[in-house]
Amino acid sequence: MTIKITGTGRALPEKTVTNFDMAKLVDTSDEWIRGRTGIAERRISTGDTVSSLAAKACAEALTMAGKDAEEVDLILVATCSPELLLPCCACQVQSAIGAHQAVAFDLNAACSGFLFALNTAYAYLQTGLYQNALIVGSEVLSKLIDWTDRSTCVLFGDGAGAAFIEKTEADEVCANGRTAGIEEMVMGSDGTKGMVLACAERTVSNPYFKETETIKPYVYMNGQEVYKFATRQVPACIKEALDKANLTVDDVDLFVLHQANVRIIESVAKRLKADIAKFPMNLDRIGNMSSATIPVLLDELNRDGKIKKGDRLVLSGFGAGLTYGASILVWG
Ligand code: UT7
């Protein structure tokens, strides 16, 4: 059995906010943000919602795959910033694109969300339950951010990326001898460190109980703890996935990593002893969009012709939870 990504898409808000714009809002500078993170600008919603961005990205992915929305079996939206608690964003997307046959639900694993959704969809396709899936990472983080907190507001942006995956019954062997599909995956979670990157929703409040401790409903982050976690856990899980597949770093053509910080990506490359040229980046232009970073980068690479049939990709993410994961994929 082969799993192929046959279409990708992305949607970004039109408004670009530069580091110089950020310096008008909080006590920061282009030099600090660029030096510590690599980010120069980000896209910020002026009305786009998680579901509208997700639907646009999905429509693009379906067009590339040459599929009609009615043919979609499963829609998985990875998001930690939906506009509604009910219904889920995936159902909003199903309605917006007219994928009336699809089963649709959300999944929240923060910045690892797209990767977890890809692996979940893969498992469904493997069982034979579904033949295809639309998977999406979509976020409007700008509404979860305290715009007076310079330690977090400079980091994040809004956007969505999608991929359409399909199953074929026979194995598809590429010209370089590699079989298309997902070769290996590693996923992990460490809830004990959950509060190093957190954002509150509603506290318990009903006729019988009222929570007295109120937490602000904005992103809180201990940046250094997340940094340490990412630079240790990401290379470790990539290595574990490669070992399980009997592969080495040299067998990988591209490392498509969660785009949070250029220093984290450089540290991962160094720890793996991998050539940094194999780590494409776009965070300078669009910042950290949580679950949307990996699929948006994948779509950019795909549309720019930078991924060839038979290329071996490692997708890897980390984020709130804490969660992390790596998947090895041969492009079909
Ligand atoms: O998707 C997962 C998302 N999270 C991450 O990827 C976060 C990983 N962590 C990081 O990327 C880094 O920890 C940050 C970029 C968030 C921060 O860099 P840092 O080198 O860890 O800085 P720091 O938090 O240690 O702060 C150093 C200084 C502090 O000032 P003092 O106490 O040394 O005087 C901060 O108050 O920088 C100050 N600072 C700022 N200065 C200018 C914090 N934010 C800013 C800012 N502009 N925006």
Side-chain angles (χ1 to χ4, degrees):
M1 182 192 85
T2 294
I3 298 284
K4 287 205 298 185
I5 294 182
T6 54
T8 56
R10 66 179 186 272
L12 298 172
E14 273 184 21
K15 181 154 185 65
T16 296
V17 175
T18 67
N19 291 347
F20 297 98
D21 296 325
M22 296 301 303
K24 291 178 196 151
L25 299 175
V26 288
D27 180 15
T28 190
S29 64
D30 177 58
E31 192 191 1
W32 192 96
I33 304 170
R34 229 183 252 265
R36 302 273 174 143
T37 70
I39 297 166
E41 54 191 44
R42 69 288 290 145
R43 299 295 187 90
I44 297 296
S45 166
T46 52
D48 307 276
T49 61
V50 172
S51 59
S52 68
L53 291 168
K56 273 188 210 159
C58 283
E60 278 200 357
L62 284 179
T63 302
M64 186 189 283
K67 286 281 168 185
D68 192 83
E70 292 282 357
E71 296 173 77
V72 178
D73 289 343
L74 172 68
I75 301 173
L76 286 183
V77 175
T79 185
C80 58
S81 55
E83 48 270 1
L84 300 174
L85 287 177
L86 302 170
C88 67
C89 181
C91 283
Q92 292 176 284
V93 171
Q94 186 226 37
S95 164
I97 65 173
H100 305 297
Q101 307 298 322
V103 171
F105 60 93
D106 290 1
L107 178 158
N108 178 359
C111 308
S112 310
F114 178 81
L115 195 73
F116 281 28
L118 173 68
N119 294 342
T120 304
Y122 174 65
Y124 272 113
L125 267 53
Q126 258 190 328
T127 65
L129 201 53
Y130 303 118
Q131 299 303 310
N132 65 55
L134 251 181
I135 44 176
V136 198
S138 184
E139 307 287 2
V140 175
L141 298 172
S142 57
K143 69 187 179 210
L144 299 185
I145 283 159
D146 176 355
W147 284 84
T148 64
D149 175 9
R150 68 176 183 174
S151 70
T152 51
C153 72
V154 301
L155 304 174
F156 299 101
D158 302 331
F164 185 67
I165 68 169
E166 293 182 67
K167 171 181 159 178
T168 55
E169 287 310 328
D171 278 355
E172 186 175 313
V173 182
C174 306
N176 60 6
R178 293 174 183 165
T179 303
I182 293 183
E183 293 182 306
E184 204 46 82
M185 65 177 78
V186 165
M187 291 189 286
S189 308
D190 181 1
T192 63
K193 302 217 177 67
M195 293 316 282
V196 303
L197 177 46
C199 181
E201 232 296 318
R202 295 185 206 173
T203 50
V204 182
S205 176
N206 58 42
Y208 313 103
F209 182 81
K210 184 150 188 64
E211 186 68 72
T212 46
E213 195 181 327
T214 52
I215 313 171
K216 278 205 237 164
Y218 297 115
V219 170
Y220 159 82
M221 180 168 70
N222 179 334
Q224 291 189 358
E225 279 301 315
V226 179
Y227 189 93
K228 275 192 274 176
F229 165 76
T231 51
R232 190 187 64 249
Q233 201 64 64
V234 173
C237 74
I238 292 176
K239 185 77 179 43
E240 188 184 338
L242 288 173
D243 287 348
K244 277 170 79 179
N246 279 321
L247 297 167
T248 71
V249 162
D250 293 337
D251 297 315
V252 179
D253 299 296
L254 283 175
F255 292 86
V256 181
L257 263 50
H258 171 48
Q259 305 283 297
N261 185 319
V262 69
R263 292 190 296 141
I264 292 177
I265 296 173
E266 285 169 354
S267 164
V268 171
K270 200 169 163 197
R271 285 191 189 213
L272 288 172
K273 298 191 178 60
D275 183 355
I276 189 71
K278 288 185 180 179
F279 293 70
M281 292 183 228
N282 62 8
L283 64 95
D284 55 325
R285 289 179 281 114
I286 41 186
N288 179 350
M289 301 175 297
S290 191
S291 68
T293 63
I294 292 177
V296 167
L297 181 56
L298 201 60
D299 183 55
E300 286 185 1
L301 295 166
N302 192 20
R303 285 175 193 271
D304 292 350
K306 294 192 175 140
I307 312 177
K308 298 184 301 295
K309 213 175 162 102
D311 277 353
R312 180 175 282 119
L313 274 56
V314 167
L315 311 184
S316 182
F318 66 93
L322 296 170
T323 56
Y324 58 91
S327 294
I328 308 174
L329 168 80
V330 172
W331 198 261

